[in-house]
Amino acid sequence: MEAVYISENAYPETIRHIRETGLEPNIIKHDPRLGEFTGDHPDLRLTCVRGSAVFAGEGEYRPDYPGNAAYCAAVFDGYLIHRLDITAPRILEAAEGLKLINVRQGYAKCSTVIVDGNSLITSDVGIFRAAEETGVLSALLVSKGNILLPGYPEGFIGGASGRVRDELIFNGSLETHPDGEKIRAFISGRGVKIWEASGLPLRDIGSIIYTNQKGRA
């Protein structure tokens, strides 16, 4: 079953575009148990593993880092990247058989644009190096900043985007990022379409998460 999870604070243009694809997005409402400024972020509530959503139980909600990042893992065809000492057990169970890569960044999904099963974009040097060391994952390192996240000095590029079917959707325009053209070229070079909320600054909304299998509560 296809599903898209997106913050209530996404731009209306972004939500409208998802609806135009024929999918009705699941709007994530703010929950203060996941932080004052991040309680609406999908990537703190669920992870997509092998196309399926794995959801956090409400008893697992925590307001502060690293407790609120237990589900914020970046998952690829053969790899899971996360700060493994905080990864939720049910994520590790769902990811059995994948190679686990430990990094310092607990907000791994938010820090990572998953372009396809073997390609990523990130501003986190640790994630970039870990990906390169696999010899399988292709990675583009971009500059930090230039992403809005109310309550914080800056947000993350992964949190301002998400792949839905064969298209990478950005909550804002890549024109507002200094590496926008490099990002577009990297994505297009992998045969993935791009949609941007034109004329708007990139804003971190905790990722746009797409699943195409039945989820796990």
Side-chain angles (χ1 to χ4, degrees):
M1 178 184 297
E2 290 184 289
V4 178
Y5 301 86
I6 189 169
S7 164
E8 63 180 339
N9 288 312
Y11 293 130
E13 292 87 342
T14 305
I15 293 174
R16 182 166 58 248
H17 176 71
I18 291 171
R19 288 188 171 127
E20 288 171 351
T21 69
L23 294 169
E24 181 59 33
N26 294 280
I27 305 299
I28 302 297
K29 302 291 187 179
H30 176 73
D31 189 322
R33 292 176 297 172
L34 282 167
E36 180 180 359
F37 301 106
T38 56
D40 58 305
H41 283 203
D43 57 21
L44 302 187
R45 299 197 197 189
L46 70 145
T47 305
C48 181
V49 182
R50 297 187 173 101
S52 297
V54 183
F55 297 91
E58 292 195 2
E60 298 176 276
Y61 285 9
R62 300 288 183 274
D64 300 311
Y65 183 81
N68 66 357
Y71 282 77
C72 201
V75 185
F76 300 84
D77 285 349
Y79 297 86
L80 179 148
I81 299 176
H82 200 211
R83 179 177 154 183
L84 297 177
D85 67 322
I86 69 168
T87 309
R90 67 176 68 187
I91 296 297
L92 297 176
E93 179 184 354
E96 184 178 359
L98 300 183
K99 183 173 181 179
L100 307 181
I101 300 177
N102 186 52
V103 293
R104 294 178 63 183
Q105 178 58 265
Y107 295 131
K109 174 61 193 78
C110 203
S111 300
T112 304
V113 180
I114 297 176
V115 179
D116 60 26
N118 295 297
S119 305
L120 65 94
I121 300 166
T122 185
S123 62
D124 188 284
V125 173
I127 292 175
F128 173 76
R129 288 176 177 166
E132 290 284 281
E133 287 172 2
T134 67
V136 175
L137 296 175
S138 298
L140 173 67
L141 182 65
V142 298
S143 56
K144 292 185 177 182
N146 305 285
I147 312 286
L148 299 178
L149 179 56
Y152 294 89
E154 61 188 39
F156 299 106
I157 185 71
S161 63
R163 180 164 171 174
V164 177
R165 294 175 175 161
D166 63 348
E167 181 177 67
L168 253 170
I169 296 174
F170 285 89
N171 188 59
S173 173
L174 289 169
E175 295 289 343
T176 65
H177 195 285
D179 297 322
E181 285 306 312
K182 287 200 303 184
I183 293 169
R184 289 188 182 120
F186 186 86
I187 296 168
S188 298
R190 280 142 186 84
V192 178
K193 299 175 185 177
I194 303 170
W195 181 90
E196 306 169 38
S198 179
L200 296 169
L202 289 166
R203 176 171 173 165
D204 185 338
I205 52 170
S207 306
I208 301 165
I209 297 181
Y210 168 76
T211 66
N212 56 17
Q213 303 292 332
K214 185 176 180 180
R216 298 174 55 186

